[in-house]
Amino acid sequence: MNPLAFADAPLHHGPAAVRLYSRIREDIRARIVSGAWQPHDRLPSESELMARYSVSRITVRQALGDLQKERVIFKVAGKGSFVSAAKPFQELGRLQGFAEAMGALGHDTYNRVLSVATVPAAAGVAQRLQLAAGERVTEIRRVRHVGSQPVSLDLTWLPLGLGQRVAAADLAVRDIFGILEADCGAPLGHADLVVDALLADAEQAALLGVASGAPLLHIERLTHGADGRPLDYEHLYCRADNFQYRLRLQRGPSLHKP
């Protein structure tokens, strides 16, 4: 594949305090995000980038190095730098199952079911599902895959009546959300989420195929039915290197008068 040519438009310079290689890095990133360069396209050579931006080789390498660390590009010895394939992603702004979201984007998915058990509800689980502490619930543990890659470890708790019906379904290929609606007659309403980051412990690392201490995105999600009652409580531990969650936010009316 031939190197991609740059457009004739000049690079727009930001504030003087911004390092030159950062501006080059962001210009390259913008071309990738815009779709001008597609996954596995080869970038111009270092010499071509040097001529385009009128900078030294070390400056070009700093820009490319940053993009490689972020896995936006990858390098092949003797052949140059290439655009990485886009990460699979799920929109947090929509209440949908994992397989539902990935299927809409053309990705194949499957679930490795680790365990399905009836357990006494821990205090936190009982509180969120509005149950008595120690009341029995269904606990489901799965590793979700996109293609051959594990992307998240999902721990789910459901009230026992619903959970037993969910457990009877094919959890290796079906979303719990879809099972709740189609098999249990429990339409979904809304979900409350808490998002933070943590470092993978030994068990999480082994299940997700990452190093112990690798960063994970952690999502705590409580899903309610259309009638407002809690149906599904989850902890999702997602790899940061091969999967993304996305969210679009819109600015609402100002709370302060001008």
Side-chain angles (χ1 to χ4, degrees):
M1 185 182 298
N2 292 327
L4 295 166
F6 275 98
D8 292 332
L11 175 67
H12 294 287
H13 295 281
V18 178
R19 289 174 293 186
L20 181 57
Y21 85 84
S22 297
R23 299 204 299 273
I24 297 171
R25 178 193 64 211
E26 295 310 310
D27 189 63
I28 295 172
R29 188 200 309 277
R31 295 171 190 273
I32 294 172
V33 171
S34 72
W37 295 347
Q38 296 294 312
H40 303 294
D41 281 343
R42 181 157 64 95
L43 271 64
S45 68
E46 289 183 358
S47 296
E48 290 171 311
L49 293 174
M50 289 164 59
R52 168 64 178 85
Y53 293 115
S54 300
V55 296
S56 67
R57 188 175 300 275
I58 191 170
T59 300
V60 166
R61 287 182 173 175
Q62 285 178 306
L64 296 178
D66 279 3
L67 294 171
Q68 184 179 18
K69 289 176 183 177
E70 297 174 26
R71 295 183 172 84
V72 175
I73 66 171
F74 64 95
K75 294 184 178 181
V76 177
K79 294 186 178 181
S81 297
F82 296 79
V83 179
S84 298
K87 292 181 184 180
F89 68 90
Q90 184 171 355
E91 293 282 356
L92 280 179
R94 298 185 60 193
L95 184 53
Q96 59 182 170
F98 177 79
E100 178 187 5
M102 294 300 98
L105 296 173
H107 297 293
D108 294 325
T109 64
Y110 78 93
N111 309 317
R112 177 185 168 198
V113 180
L114 303 176
S115 63
V116 179
T118 298
V119 300
V125 173
Q127 187 271 330
R128 286 162 179 79
L129 291 176
Q130 297 181 6
L131 303 172
E135 187 171 341
R136 294 192 303 162
V137 295
T138 299
E139 178 186 82
I140 299 170
R141 303 172 70 247
R142 297 176 297 168
V143 176
R144 318 298 295 269
H145 290 71
V146 175
S148 62
Q149 292 292 314
V151 298
S152 72
L153 168 63
D154 294 7
L155 311 182
T156 303
W157 296 269
L158 304 110
L160 189 59
L162 282 177
Q164 289 177 328
R165 297 179 68 181
V166 169
D170 189 351
L171 292 169
V173 297
R174 296 184 65 187
D175 285 327
I176 289 177
F177 284 177
I179 297 168
L180 286 171
E181 293 196 313
D183 298 12
C184 303
L188 305 182
H190 70 278
D192 299 316
L193 282 74
V194 177
V195 181
D196 60 5
L198 48 75
L199 301 180
D201 63 24
E203 180 185 19
Q204 293 163 346
L207 291 171
L208 291 174
V210 298
S212 184
L216 299 178
L217 180 67
H218 171 230
I219 297 177
E220 178 184 351
R221 180 167 65 188
L222 177 62
T223 302
H224 303 259
D227 59 2
R229 64 191 178 98
L231 300 178
D232 176 292
Y233 178 56
E234 300 169 287
H235 282 267
L236 315 177
Y237 301 90
C238 307
R239 284 177 55 164
D241 62 334
N242 67 357
F243 188 72
Q244 291 180 331
Y245 279 105
R246 297 183 182 180
L247 179 64
R248 171 173 290 184
L249 301 177
Q250 293 184 328
R251 185 173 177 83
S254 175
L255 299 178
H256 303 284
K257 294 181 179 181

